[in-house]
Amino acid sequence: MTEIINQIFALDSKLKKENNDSGNRYLDRIYHEFEAMGFQIVIPLGKTYRNEMTDVEANVLGDLSRTSKITKVLKPVIYQIENNETKLLQKGIVIVE
């Protein structure tokens, strides 16, 4: 399932990059269905990066400072929630500047 989520995320990113809003409603519905199935998809774009973050693998461009931000998300963080237990299925892959 993580590969399907990654492909949907890649499609969503490409449509946003091309300013193509026509598919947003459909993609939002797909993300909603993933959540209904117990998947939590986190896109940490714009968040401050800290070395202590255990749910992302970062490629750091330049010097790492206290104000380093996640500027690009290559793969989202994916959790699965089952029986009130949250399990990390995939670490996010991000670019930090």
Coordinates of all heavy atoms in Angstrom, one line a residue:
M1 N 0.8 -1.2 0.0 CA 0.0 0.0 0.0 C 0.9 1.3 0.0 O 0.5 2.3 -0.6 CB -0.9 0.0 1.2 CG -1.9 1.1 1.2 SD -3.0 1.2 -0.2 CE -4.3 0.0 0.3
T2 N 2.0 1.2 0.6 CA 2.9 2.4 0.7 C 3.3 2.8 -0.7 O 3.4 4.0 -1.0 CB 4.2 2.2 1.5 OG1 4.9 1.1 1.0 CG2 3.8 2.0 3.0
E3 N 3.5 1.9 -1.6 CA 3.9 2.2 -3.0 C 2.7 3.0 -3.7 O 2.9 3.9 -4.5 CB 4.3 1.0 -3.8 CG 5.0 1.3 -5.1 CD 6.2 2.3 -5.0 OE1 7.0 2.2 -4.0 OE2 6.3 3.2 -5.8
I4 N 1.5 2.5 -3.5 CA 0.3 3.2 -4.1 C 0.2 4.6 -3.5 O 0.0 5.6 -4.3 CB -1.0 2.4 -3.8 CG1 -0.9 1.1 -4.6 CG2 -2.2 3.2 -4.2 CD1 -2.0 0.1 -4.2
I5 N 0.4 4.8 -2.2 CA 0.4 6.1 -1.6 C 1.5 7.0 -2.2 O 1.3 8.2 -2.5 CB 0.5 6.0 -0.1 CG1 -0.8 5.3 0.5 CG2 0.7 7.4 0.5 CD1 -0.7 5.0 2.0
N6 N 2.7 6.4 -2.4 CA 3.8 7.2 -3.0 C 3.5 7.6 -4.4 O 3.8 8.8 -4.8 CB 5.1 6.4 -3.0 CG 5.7 6.3 -1.6 OD1 5.6 7.2 -0.8 ND2 6.3 5.2 -1.3
Q7 N 2.8 6.8 -5.2 CA 2.5 7.2 -6.5 C 1.4 8.3 -6.6 O 1.5 9.2 -7.4 CB 2.0 5.9 -7.3 CG 3.1 4.9 -7.6 CD 4.2 5.5 -8.4 OE1 4.0 6.1 -9.4 NE2 5.5 5.2 -7.9
I8 N 0.4 8.2 -5.7 CA -0.6 9.2 -5.6 C 0.0 10.5 -5.2 O -0.3 11.6 -5.7 CB -1.7 8.8 -4.6 CG1 -2.5 7.5 -5.1 CG2 -2.7 9.9 -4.3 CD1 -3.2 7.8 -6.4
F9 N 1.0 10.5 -4.2 CA 1.7 11.7 -3.7 C 2.5 12.3 -4.9 O 2.5 13.5 -5.1 CB 2.6 11.3 -2.5 CG 3.5 12.5 -2.2 CD1 3.0 13.5 -1.5 CD2 4.8 12.4 -2.5 CE1 3.8 14.6 -1.1 CE2 5.7 13.5 -2.2 CZ 5.2 14.6 -1.5
A10 N 3.2 11.4 -5.7 CA 3.9 11.9 -6.8 C 3.0 12.6 -7.8 O 3.4 13.7 -8.4 CB 4.7 10.8 -7.4
L11 N 1.9 12.0 -8.1 CA 0.9 12.6 -9.0 C 0.4 13.9 -8.5 O 0.4 15.0 -9.2 CB -0.2 11.7 -9.3 CG -1.4 12.1 -10.1 CD1 -0.9 12.4 -11.6 CD2 -2.5 11.1 -10.2
D12 N 0.1 14.0 -7.2 CA -0.4 15.2 -6.6 C 0.7 16.3 -6.7 O 0.4 17.5 -7.0 CB -0.7 14.9 -5.1 CG -1.4 16.1 -4.4 OD1 -1.9 17.0 -5.1 OD2 -1.4 16.0 -3.2
S13 N 1.9 16.0 -6.4 CA 3.0 16.9 -6.4 C 3.2 17.5 -7.8 O 3.4 18.7 -8.0 CB 4.3 16.3 -6.0 OG 4.2 15.9 -4.6
K14 N 3.1 16.6 -8.8 CA 3.3 17.0 -10.2 C 2.2 18.0 -10.6 O 2.4 19.0 -11.3 CB 3.3 15.8 -11.1 CG 3.6 16.1 -12.6 CD 3.8 14.9 -13.4 CE 4.0 15.4 -14.8 NZ 4.6 14.4 -15.7
L15 N 0.9 17.6 -10.3 CA -0.2 18.5 -10.6 C -0.1 19.9 -10.0 O -0.4 20.9 -10.6 CB -1.5 17.8 -10.3 CG -1.9 16.6 -11.1 CD1 -3.2 16.0 -10.6 CD2 -2.1 17.0 -12.6
K16 N 0.4 19.9 -8.7 CA 0.5 21.2 -8.0 C 1.7 22.0 -8.6 O 1.5 23.2 -8.8 CB 0.8 20.9 -6.5 CG -0.4 20.5 -5.8 CD -0.2 20.3 -4.3 CE -1.4 19.9 -3.6 NZ -1.2 19.4 -2.3
K17 N 2.7 21.3 -9.0 CA 3.8 22.0 -9.7 C 3.4 22.7 -11.0 O 3.9 23.7 -11.4 CB 5.0 21.0 -9.9 CG 6.3 21.6 -10.4 CD 7.4 20.6 -10.6 CE 8.6 21.2 -11.1 NZ 9.7 20.2 -11.2
E18 N 2.5 22.0 -11.7 CA 2.0 22.5 -13.0 C 0.8 23.4 -12.9 O 0.2 23.8 -13.8 CB 1.7 21.3 -13.9 CG 2.9 20.4 -14.3 CD 2.5 19.2 -15.0 OE1 1.3 18.9 -15.2 OE2 3.4 18.5 -15.5
N19 N 0.5 23.7 -11.6 CA -0.7 24.5 -11.3 C -2.0 24.0 -11.9 O -2.8 24.7 -12.4 CB -0.5 26.0 -11.7 CG 0.5 26.7 -10.9 OD1 0.7 26.4 -9.7 ND2 1.3 27.5 -11.5
N20 N -2.1 22.7 -11.9 CA -3.3 22.0 -12.5 C -4.2 21.6 -11.3 O -4.0 20.6 -10.6 CB -2.8 20.7 -13.3 CG -4.0 20.1 -14.0 OD1 -5.1 20.3 -13.6 ND2 -3.6 19.2 -14.9
D21 N -5.2 22.4 -11.1 CA -6.1 22.2 -10.0 C -7.3 21.3 -10.3 O -8.1 21.0 -9.5 CB -6.7 23.6 -9.5 CG -5.6 24.5 -9.0 OD1 -4.6 23.9 -8.4 OD2 -5.7 25.7 -9.0
S22 N -7.4 20.8 -11.6 CA -8.5 20.0 -11.9 C -8.7 18.7 -11.2 O -9.8 18.2 -11.0 CB -8.6 19.8 -13.5 OG -7.4 19.0 -13.8
G23 N -7.6 18.1 -10.8 CA -7.6 16.8 -10.1 C -7.6 16.9 -8.6 O -7.7 15.8 -8.0
N24 N -7.5 18.1 -8.0 CA -7.4 18.2 -6.6 C -8.6 17.5 -5.8 O -8.3 16.9 -4.8 CB -7.3 19.7 -6.2 CG -5.9 20.2 -6.4 OD1 -5.0 19.5 -6.7 ND2 -5.8 21.5 -6.4
R25 N -9.8 17.7 -6.3 CA -10.9 17.1 -5.6 C -10.8 15.6 -5.6 O -11.1 15.0 -4.6 CB -12.2 17.6 -6.3 CG -13.4 17.3 -5.5 CD -14.7 17.8 -6.2 NE -15.4 16.6 -6.4 CZ -16.1 16.3 -7.5 NH1 -16.1 17.2 -8.5 NH2 -16.8 15.2 -7.7
Y26 N -10.4 15.0 -6.7 CA -10.3 13.6 -6.7 C -9.1 13.1 -5.8 O -9.3 12.1 -5.1 CB -10.0 13.1 -8.2 CG -11.2 13.6 -9.1 CD1 -11.0 14.6 -10.0 CD2 -12.4 13.0 -9.0 CE1 -12.0 15.0 -10.8 CE2 -13.5 13.3 -9.8 CZ -13.3 14.4 -10.7 OH -14.3 14.8 -11.5
L27 N -8.0 13.8 -5.8 CA -6.9 13.4 -5.0 C -7.2 13.6 -3.5 O -6.9 12.7 -2.7 CB -5.6 14.2 -5.4 CG -5.1 13.8 -6.7 CD1 -4.0 14.8 -7.1 CD2 -4.5 12.4 -6.7
D28 N -7.9 14.6 -3.2 CA -8.4 14.8 -1.8 C -9.3 13.6 -1.4 O -9.2 13.1 -0.2 CB -9.1 16.1 -1.6 CG -8.2 17.3 -1.7 OD1 -7.0 17.2 -1.6 OD2 -8.8 18.4 -1.9
R29 N -10.1 13.2 -2.3 CA -11.0 12.0 -2.0 C -10.2 10.8 -1.7 O -10.5 10.0 -0.8 CB -12.0 11.9 -3.1 CG -12.9 10.7 -2.9 CD -13.9 11.0 -1.8 NE -14.7 9.8 -1.6 CZ -15.4 9.6 -0.5 NH1 -15.4 10.4 0.5 NH2 -16.1 8.5 -0.4
I30 N -9.1 10.6 -2.6 CA -8.3 9.4 -2.4 C -7.6 9.4 -1.1 O -7.5 8.4 -0.3 CB -7.3 9.3 -3.6 CG1 -8.0 8.9 -4.9 CG2 -6.2 8.2 -3.3 CD1 -7.2 9.1 -6.1
Y31 N -7.0 10.6 -0.7 CA -6.3 10.8 0.6 C -7.3 10.5 1.7 O -7.0 9.8 2.7 CB -5.7 12.2 0.8 CG -4.4 12.4 0.0 CD1 -4.3 13.4 -0.9 CD2 -3.4 11.5 0.2 CE1 -3.1 13.7 -1.5 CE2 -2.2 11.7 -0.5 CZ -2.0 12.8 -1.3 OH -0.9 13.0 -2.0
H32 N -8.6 10.9 1.6 CA -9.6 10.7 2.6 C -9.8 9.2 2.7 O -10.0 8.6 3.9 CB -10.9 11.4 2.2 CG -12.0 11.1 3.1 ND1 -12.1 11.6 4.4 CD2 -13.1 10.3 3.0 CE1 -13.2 11.1 5.0 NE2 -13.8 10.3 4.1
E33 N -9.9 8.5 1.6 CA -10.1 7.0 1.7 C -8.9 6.3 2.3 O -9.1 5.3 3.1 CB -10.3 6.4 0.3 CG -11.6 6.9 -0.4 CD -12.8 6.4 0.5 OE1 -12.8 5.3 1.0 OE2 -13.8 7.2 0.6
F34 N -7.7 6.7 2.1 CA -6.5 6.2 2.8 C -6.7 6.4 4.3 O -6.4 5.4 5.1 CB -5.2 6.8 2.3 CG -4.8 6.4 0.9 CD1 -4.2 7.3 0.1 CD2 -4.8 5.1 0.5 CE1 -3.8 7.0 -1.2 CE2 -4.4 4.7 -0.7 CZ -3.9 5.6 -1.6
E35 N -7.1 7.5 4.7 CA -7.3 7.8 6.1 C -8.4 6.9 6.7 O -8.2 6.4 7.8 CB -7.6 9.3 6.4 CG -6.4 10.2 6.2 CD -6.7 11.6 6.4 OE1 -7.8 11.9 7.0 OE2 -5.9 12.5 6.0
A36 N -9.4 6.7 6.0 CA -10.5 5.8 6.4 C -10.0 4.4 6.6 O -10.5 3.6 7.4 CB -11.7 5.9 5.5
M37 N -9.0 4.0 5.8 CA -8.4 2.7 5.9 C -7.4 2.6 7.0 O -6.8 1.5 7.2 CB -7.8 2.3 4.5 CG -8.8 2.1 3.4 SD -8.1 2.0 1.8 CE -6.9 0.7 1.9
G38 N -7.1 3.7 7.7 CA -6.2 3.6 8.8 C -4.8 4.1 8.5 O -3.9 3.9 9.3
F39 N -4.6 4.8 7.4 CA -3.3 5.3 7.0 C -3.3 6.8 7.3 O -4.2 7.5 7.0 CB -3.0 5.1 5.5 CG -2.8 3.6 5.2 CD1 -3.9 2.9 4.7 CD2 -1.6 3.0 5.4 CE1 -3.8 1.6 4.3 CE2 -1.5 1.6 5.1 CZ -2.6 0.9 4.6
Q40 N -2.2 7.3 7.9 CA -2.0 8.7 8.1 C -0.8 9.1 7.3 O 0.3 8.6 7.4 CB -1.7 9.0 9.6 CG -1.5 10.4 9.9 CD -1.2 10.7 11.4 OE1 -1.0 9.8 12.1 NE2 -1.2 11.9 11.7
I41 N -1.0 10.1 6.4 CA 0.0 10.5 5.5 C 0.4 11.9 5.9 O -0.5 12.8 5.9 CB -0.5 10.5 4.0 CG1 -1.0 9.1 3.7 CG2 0.5 11.0 3.0 CD1 -1.9 9.0 2.5
V42 N 1.7 12.1 6.2 CA 2.2 13.4 6.7 C 3.1 14.0 5.6 O 4.1 13.3 5.3 CB 2.9 13.2 8.0 CG1 3.4 14.6 8.5 CG2 1.9 12.6 9.1
I43 N 2.8 15.2 5.2 CA 3.7 15.9 4.3 C 4.3 17.1 5.0 O 3.7 18.1 5.2 CB 2.9 16.3 3.0 CG1 2.3 15.1 2.4 CG2 3.8 17.1 2.0 CD1 1.2 15.4 1.3
P44 N 5.6 16.9 5.5 CA 6.2 17.9 6.4 C 6.7 19.2 5.7 O 7.6 19.8 6.2 CB 7.3 17.1 7.1 CG 7.7 16.1 6.1 CD 6.4 15.8 5.3
L45 N 6.3 19.5 4.5 CA 6.8 20.6 3.8 C 6.6 21.9 4.6 O 5.6 22.2 5.1 CB 6.0 20.8 2.5 CG 6.5 21.8 1.5 CD1 7.9 21.5 1.0 CD2 5.5 21.9 0.3
G46 N 7.7 22.7 4.7 CA 7.7 24.0 5.4 C 8.0 23.9 6.9 O 8.2 24.9 7.5
K47 N 8.0 22.7 7.4 CA 8.3 22.5 8.8 C 9.8 22.8 9.1 O 10.6 22.5 8.3 CB 7.9 21.2 9.3 CG 6.4 21.0 9.3 CD 6.0 19.7 10.0 CE 4.5 19.6 9.9 NZ 4.0 18.3 10.6
T48 N 10.1 23.2 10.3 CA 11.5 23.3 10.8 C 12.1 22.0 11.0 O 11.4 21.1 11.6 CB 11.5 24.2 12.1 OG1 10.9 25.4 11.8 CG2 13.0 24.3 12.5
Y49 N 13.2 21.7 10.4 CA 13.9 20.4 10.6 C 14.8 20.4 11.8 O 15.5 21.4 12.1 CB 14.8 20.1 9.3 CG 15.6 18.9 9.5 CD1 14.9 17.6 9.3 CD2 16.9 18.9 9.8 CE1 15.6 16.5 9.5 CE2 17.6 17.7 10.0 CZ 17.0 16.5 9.9 OH 17.7 15.4 10.0
R50 N 14.7 19.3 12.6 CA 15.5 19.1 13.7 C 16.2 17.7 13.6 O 15.6 16.8 13.1 CB 14.7 19.1 15.0 CG 13.9 20.4 15.3 CD 13.1 20.3 16.5 NE 12.5 19.0 16.8 CZ 11.3 18.6 16.3 NH1 10.6 19.3 15.4 NH2 10.8 17.4 16.6
N51 N 17.5 17.7 14.1 CA 18.2 16.4 14.0 C 17.5 15.3 14.7 O 17.7 14.1 14.4 CB 19.6 16.6 14.6 CG 20.6 17.2 13.6 OD1 20.4 17.0 12.4 ND2 21.6 17.8 14.1
E52 N 16.7 15.6 15.7 CA 16.0 14.6 16.5 C 14.8 13.9 15.8 O 14.2 13.0 16.3 CB 15.5 15.2 17.8 CG 16.5 15.8 18.7 CD 16.9 17.3 18.3 OE1 16.0 18.0 17.8 OE2 18.1 17.6 18.4
M53 N 14.5 14.4 14.6 CA 13.3 13.9 13.9 C 13.6 12.4 13.5 O 14.6 12.2 12.8 CB 13.0 14.7 12.7 CG 12.5 16.1 13.1 SD 12.2 17.2 11.6 CE 10.5 16.9 11.4
T54 N 12.8 11.5 13.9 CA 13.1 10.1 13.6 C 12.2 9.6 12.5 O 12.4 8.4 12.0 CB 12.8 9.2 14.9 OG1 11.5 9.4 15.3 CG2 13.8 9.6 16.0
D55 N 11.3 10.4 12.0 CA 10.3 9.9 11.0 C 10.7 10.5 9.6 O 9.9 10.2 8.6 CB 8.9 10.2 11.3 CG 8.6 11.7 11.5 OD1 9.6 12.5 11.5 OD2 7.5 12.1 11.7
V56 N 11.8 11.1 9.4 CA 12.3 11.6 8.1 C 13.8 11.3 7.9 O 14.5 11.3 8.9 CB 12.0 13.1 7.9 CG1 10.6 13.4 7.9 CG2 12.8 14.0 8.9
E57 N 14.1 11.1 6.7 CA 15.5 11.1 6.3 C 15.8 12.3 5.5 O 15.1 12.6 4.5 CB 15.8 9.8 5.4 CG 15.7 8.5 6.2 CD 16.0 7.3 5.4 OE1 16.4 7.4 4.2 OE2 15.7 6.2 5.9
A58 N 16.8 13.1 5.9 CA 16.9 14.4 5.2 C 18.2 14.5 4.5 O 19.3 14.0 4.9 CB 16.9 15.5 6.3
N59 N 18.1 15.1 3.3 CA 19.3 15.6 2.5 C 19.4 17.0 2.8 O 18.6 17.8 2.5 CB 19.1 15.3 1.0 CG 19.0 13.8 0.7 OD1 19.7 13.0 1.2 ND2 18.0 13.5 -0.1
V60 N 20.5 17.4 3.5 CA 20.7 18.8 3.9 C 21.6 19.5 2.9 O 22.7 19.1 2.6 CB 21.4 18.9 5.3 CG1 21.6 20.3 5.7 CG2 20.5 18.1 6.3
L61 N 21.0 20.6 2.4 CA 21.8 21.5 1.4 C 22.2 22.7 2.2 O 21.4 23.4 2.8 CB 20.9 21.9 0.3 CG 20.2 20.8 -0.5 CD1 19.3 21.4 -1.6 CD2 21.3 19.9 -1.2
G62 N 23.6 22.9 2.2 CA 24.1 24.1 3.0 C 24.3 23.7 4.4 O 24.4 22.5 4.8
D63 N 24.5 24.7 5.3 CA 24.8 24.5 6.7 C 23.4 24.3 7.4 O 22.5 25.0 7.2 CB 25.5 25.7 7.3 CG 26.9 25.9 6.8 OD1 27.5 24.8 6.4 OD2 27.4 27.0 6.7
L64 N 23.4 23.3 8.3 CA 22.3 23.1 9.1 C 22.2 24.1 10.3 O 23.1 24.2 11.1 CB 22.3 21.6 9.7 CG 21.1 21.1 10.3 CD1 19.9 21.1 9.3 CD2 21.3 19.7 10.8
S65 N 21.1 24.8 10.3 CA 21.0 25.8 11.4 C 19.7 25.6 12.1 O 18.9 24.7 11.7 CB 21.0 27.2 10.8 OG 19.8 27.5 10.1
R66 N 19.4 26.3 13.2 CA 18.2 26.2 13.9 C 17.0 26.5 13.1 O 15.9 26.1 13.4 CB 18.2 27.1 15.2 CG 19.2 26.6 16.2 CD 19.1 27.4 17.5 NE 19.4 28.8 17.2 CZ 19.0 29.8 17.9 NH1 18.2 29.6 19.0 NH2 19.3 31.0 17.6
T67 N 17.1 27.3 12.1 CA 16.0 27.7 11.2 C 15.9 26.9 9.9 O 15.3 27.4 9.0 CB 16.0 29.2 11.0 OG1 17.2 29.5 10.3 CG2 15.9 30.0 12.3
S68 N 16.6 25.8 9.8 CA 16.5 25.1 8.6 C 15.1 24.5 8.3 O 14.5 23.9 9.3 CB 17.5 23.9 8.6 OG 18.8 24.4 8.7
K69 N 14.6 24.7 7.2 CA 13.2 24.3 6.8 C 13.3 23.1 5.8 O 14.2 23.0 5.0 CB 12.5 25.4 6.2 CG 12.3 26.6 7.1 CD 11.1 26.4 8.0 CE 10.9 27.7 8.8 NZ 10.0 27.5 9.8
I70 N 12.2 22.3 5.9 CA 12.0 21.3 4.9 C 11.4 22.0 3.6 O 10.3 22.5 3.7 CB 11.1 20.2 5.4 CG1 11.8 19.5 6.6 CG2 10.7 19.2 4.3 CD1 10.9 18.5 7.3
T71 N 12.2 22.0 2.6 CA 11.8 22.7 1.4 C 11.2 21.8 0.3 O 10.6 22.3 -0.6 CB 13.0 23.5 0.8 OG1 14.1 22.6 0.5 CG2 13.5 24.6 1.8
K72 N 11.5 20.5 0.4 CA 10.9 19.6 -0.6 C 10.7 18.3 0.0 O 11.5 17.8 0.8 CB 11.9 19.5 -1.8 CG 11.3 18.7 -3.0 CD 12.2 18.8 -4.2 CE 11.5 18.1 -5.4 NZ 12.3 18.2 -6.6
V73 N 9.6 17.6 -0.3 CA 9.3 16.3 0.2 C 9.3 15.4 -1.0 O 8.5 15.5 -2.0 CB 7.9 16.3 0.9 CG1 7.6 14.9 1.3 CG2 7.9 17.2 2.0
L74 N 10.2 14.4 -1.0 CA 10.3 13.4 -2.1 C 9.4 12.2 -1.8 O 8.8 11.7 -2.7 CB 11.8 12.9 -2.2 CG 12.8 14.0 -2.4 CD1 14.2 13.5 -2.5 CD2 12.5 14.8 -3.7
K75 N 9.2 11.8 -0.5 CA 8.3 10.8 -0.1 C 7.7 11.2 1.2 O 8.4 11.7 2.1 CB 9.0 9.4 0.0 CG 9.4 8.8 -1.3 CD 9.8 7.4 -1.0 CE 10.1 6.7 -2.4 NZ 10.4 5.3 -2.2
P76 N 6.4 11.0 1.4 CA 5.7 11.4 2.6 C 6.0 10.4 3.7 O 6.4 9.3 3.5 CB 4.3 11.4 2.2 CG 4.1 10.4 1.2 CD 5.4 10.4 0.4
V77 N 5.7 10.9 4.9 CA 5.8 10.0 6.1 C 4.4 9.2 6.1 O 3.4 9.9 5.9 CB 5.9 10.8 7.4 CG1 6.0 9.8 8.6 CG2 7.2 11.7 7.4
I78 N 4.5 7.9 6.3 CA 3.3 7.1 6.3 C 3.2 6.3 7.6 O 4.1 5.6 7.9 CB 3.2 6.2 5.1 CG1 3.3 7.0 3.8 CG2 1.9 5.4 5.1 CD1 3.4 6.1 2.5
Y79 N 2.1 6.5 8.3 CA 1.8 5.7 9.5 C 0.6 4.9 9.2 O -0.3 5.2 8.4 CB 1.4 6.7 10.7 CG 2.6 7.6 11.1 CD1 2.6 8.9 10.7 CD2 3.5 7.1 12.0 CE1 3.6 9.7 11.1 CE2 4.6 7.9 12.4 CZ 4.6 9.2 12.0 OH 5.6 10.1 12.4
Q80 N 0.5 3.8 9.9 CA -0.8 3.0 9.9 C -1.3 2.9 11.3 O -0.5 2.6 12.3 CB -0.5 1.6 9.3 CG -1.8 0.8 9.2 CD -1.6 -0.5 8.4 OE1 -0.5 -1.0 8.3 NE2 -2.6 -1.0 7.8
I81 N -2.6 3.1 11.5 CA -3.2 3.0 12.8 C -4.1 1.8 12.8 O -5.0 1.7 12.0 CB -4.0 4.3 13.0 CG1 -3.1 5.5 12.9 CG2 -4.7 4.2 14.4 CD1 -3.9 6.8 12.9
E82 N -3.7 0.9 13.7 CA -4.5 -0.3 13.9 C -4.6 -0.6 15.4 O -3.7 -0.5 16.2 CB -3.8 -1.5 13.3 CG -3.9 -1.7 11.8 CD -3.3 -2.9 11.3 OE1 -2.1 -3.3 11.7 OE2 -4.0 -3.6 10.5
N83 N -5.8 -0.9 15.8 CA -6.1 -1.2 17.2 C -5.6 -0.2 18.2 O -4.9 -0.5 19.2 CB -5.5 -2.6 17.6 CG -6.1 -3.7 16.7 OD1 -7.2 -3.7 16.4 ND2 -5.2 -4.7 16.4
N84 N -5.8 1.1 17.8 CA -5.3 2.3 18.6 C -3.8 2.3 18.8 O -3.3 2.9 19.7 CB -6.0 2.3 20.0 CG -7.5 2.5 19.9 OD1 -7.9 3.3 19.0 ND2 -8.2 2.0 20.8
E85 N -3.1 1.7 17.9 CA -1.7 1.7 17.9 C -1.2 2.3 16.6 O -1.6 1.9 15.5 CB -1.1 0.2 18.0 CG 0.3 0.2 18.4 CD 0.7 -1.3 18.7 OE1 0.0 -1.9 19.5 OE2 1.7 -1.7 18.1
T86 N -0.2 3.2 16.6 CA 0.3 3.9 15.4 C 1.7 3.3 15.1 O 2.6 3.2 16.0 CB 0.4 5.4 15.7 OG1 -0.8 5.9 16.0 CG2 0.9 6.1 14.4
K87 N 1.8 2.8 13.9 CA 3.0 2.2 13.4 C 3.6 3.0 12.2 O 2.9 3.3 11.3 CB 2.7 0.8 13.0 CG 3.8 0.0 12.4 CD 3.4 -1.4 12.1 CE 4.2 -2.1 11.1 NZ 3.7 -3.4 10.7
L88 N 4.9 3.3 12.3 CA 5.6 4.0 11.2 C 5.8 3.0 10.0 O 6.5 2.0 10.2 CB 6.9 4.6 11.6 CG 7.7 5.3 10.6 CD1 7.0 6.5 10.0 CD2 9.1 5.7 11.1
L89 N 5.2 3.2 8.9 CA 5.4 2.3 7.7 C 6.5 2.8 6.8 O 7.2 2.0 6.2 CB 4.1 2.2 6.9 CG 2.9 1.5 7.5 CD1 1.8 1.4 6.5 CD2 3.3 0.1 8.0
Q90 N 6.6 4.1 6.7 CA 7.7 4.7 5.8 C 8.1 6.0 6.4 O 7.4 6.9 6.7 CB 7.1 4.9 4.4 CG 8.0 5.7 3.5 CD 7.4 5.8 2.1 OE1 7.3 4.9 1.4 NE2 6.9 7.0 1.8
K91 N 9.5 6.1 6.5 CA 10.0 7.4 6.8 C 9.9 8.4 5.6 O 10.0 7.9 4.4 CB 11.5 7.3 7.2 CG 11.8 6.7 8.5 CD 13.3 6.7 8.8 CE 13.5 6.1 10.2 NZ 14.9 6.3 10.6
G92 N 9.7 9.6 5.8 CA 9.7 10.6 4.8 C 11.1 10.9 4.3 O 12.0 10.8 5.0
I93 N 11.2 11.2 3.0 CA 12.5 11.6 2.4 C 12.3 13.1 2.0 O 11.4 13.4 1.2 CB 12.9 10.7 1.2 CG1 13.0 9.3 1.7 CG2 14.2 11.2 0.6 CD1 13.3 8.3 0.6
V94 N 13.2 13.9 2.6 CA 13.0 15.4 2.4 C 14.3 16.0 2.1 O 15.4 15.5 2.3 CB 12.4 16.0 3.7 CG1 11.1 15.4 4.1 CG2 13.4 15.9 4.9
I95 N 14.2 17.3 1.5 CA 15.3 18.1 1.3 C 15.2 19.3 2.3 O 14.1 19.9 2.5 CB 15.3 18.7 -0.1 CG1 15.2 17.6 -1.2 CG2 16.5 19.7 -0.4 CD1 16.5 16.9 -1.4
V96 N 16.3 19.6 3.0 CA 16.4 20.7 4.0 C 17.3 21.7 3.5 O 18.5 21.4 3.1 CB 16.8 20.1 5.4 CG1 17.0 21.2 6.4 CG2 15.8 19.0 5.8
E97 N 16.9 23.0 3.6 CA 17.8 24.1 3.3 C 17.8 25.1 4.4 O 16.8 25.3 5.1 CB 17.3 24.8 2.0 CG 17.5 23.9 0.8 CD 17.1 24.5 -0.5 OE1 17.7 25.5 -0.8 OE2 16.1 24.1 -1.1

